Amino acid sequence: ARWTVKNSADLRIAATFGSVRVEQHDVLALESVADEAPQVTLAGAPQKVKLVDRKSLALSWQATDDYGLAEIALVLRAGDAEERRSLSKPHTQTKAEQGAFELSTQEAFFKRSHIPVEVTIQARDNDSVIGSKWGSSQAFIVIPPIVGEPEAKRHLALSQARDGLVDLLATRVSAAP
């Protein structure tokens, strides 16, 4: 006989001869060990990142599972909107996988979103008995710029450059004979 053990149980073997049932004296205790969701770590997470300060976001991740990994995905989520991109589909016997990915802050998902975006790495195991489970890393929270913030920063940089040039010119004019 063959069956799948989903919960811990006591196994007792019996034979039936007509209307007579003969049970084995000793009992075999079976302990079910539940398959856990994959463990995923994302270097530097959790962290809040301002979109206006970065051109890209470096993501270095590592995923492990006790029975094997089926898929690794990059997940971008802002409110109800979600975008999932497959990063890796390792061989089903692979129990550990790691990698790195550079995410540009010029992505269309960031430009469409005006609320913070949660960036995570998720891993799916290959549990064919109960069903696949997803494990998720902690998140980078990418905060979009405030309305007018990039323009204000450019204006401030231009003002500082102009002030520097005026100060330089002032020292040269006052030093002239």
Side-chain angles (χ1 to χ4, degrees):
R2 182 177 190 179
W3 71 96
T4 302
V5 177
K6 293 183 180 177
N7 298 316
S8 297
D10 293 332
L11 177 64
R12 188 173 303 215
I13 299 174
T16 310
F17 301 101
S19 62
V20 178
R21 181 179 168 153
V22 180
E23 291 187 4
Q24 183 178 348
H25 177 63
D26 56 341
V27 175
L28 178 62
L30 298 175
E31 185 177 339
S32 174
V33 178
D35 182 26
E36 299 292 326
Q39 299 292 318
V40 185
T41 56
L42 180 57
Q47 183 179 358
K48 289 185 180 179
V49 176
K50 288 190 173 188
L51 193 61
V52 77
D53 295 339
R54 299 254 181 113
K55 295 291 181 201
S56 65
L57 186 62
L59 305 172
S60 177
W61 52 270
Q62 181 175 9
T64 59
D65 187 59
D66 48 357
Y67 291 105
L69 296 165
E71 182 181 3
I72 312 293
L74 167 69
V75 180
L76 305 173
R77 183 177 294 127
D80 291 339
E82 179 178 288
E83 187 174 306
R84 183 177 294 269
R85 300 177 193 169
S86 183
L87 295 177
S88 172
K89 290 192 177 187
H91 186 269
T92 56
Q93 300 301 318
T94 303
K95 294 183 179 183
E97 181 89 5
Q98 64 182 14
F101 183 77
E102 185 137 0
L103 182 63
S104 171
T105 57
Q106 302 303 313
E107 293 275 342
F109 191 85
F110 291 125
K111 291 186 178 196
R112 285 191 312 260
S113 178
H114 301 291
I115 60 174
V117 176
E118 181 182 272
V119 179
T120 59
I121 302 293
Q122 294 184 1
R124 181 172 55 95
D125 67 5
N126 63 356
D127 186 359
S128 60
V129 176
I130 298 173
S132 295
K133 291 173 282 309
W134 285 91
S136 182
S137 69
Q138 292 185 318
F140 278 104
I141 305 297
V142 180
I143 301 171
I146 299 170
V147 176
E149 185 178 11
E151 292 82 4
K153 284 191 170 198
R154 282 195 297 272
H155 179 69
L156 181 63
L158 183 60
S159 295
Q160 289 173 344
R162 184 192 62 212
D163 292 345
L165 286 172
V166 168
D167 291 344
L168 178 64
L169 184 61
T171 57
R172 290 188 178 179
V173 168
S174 62

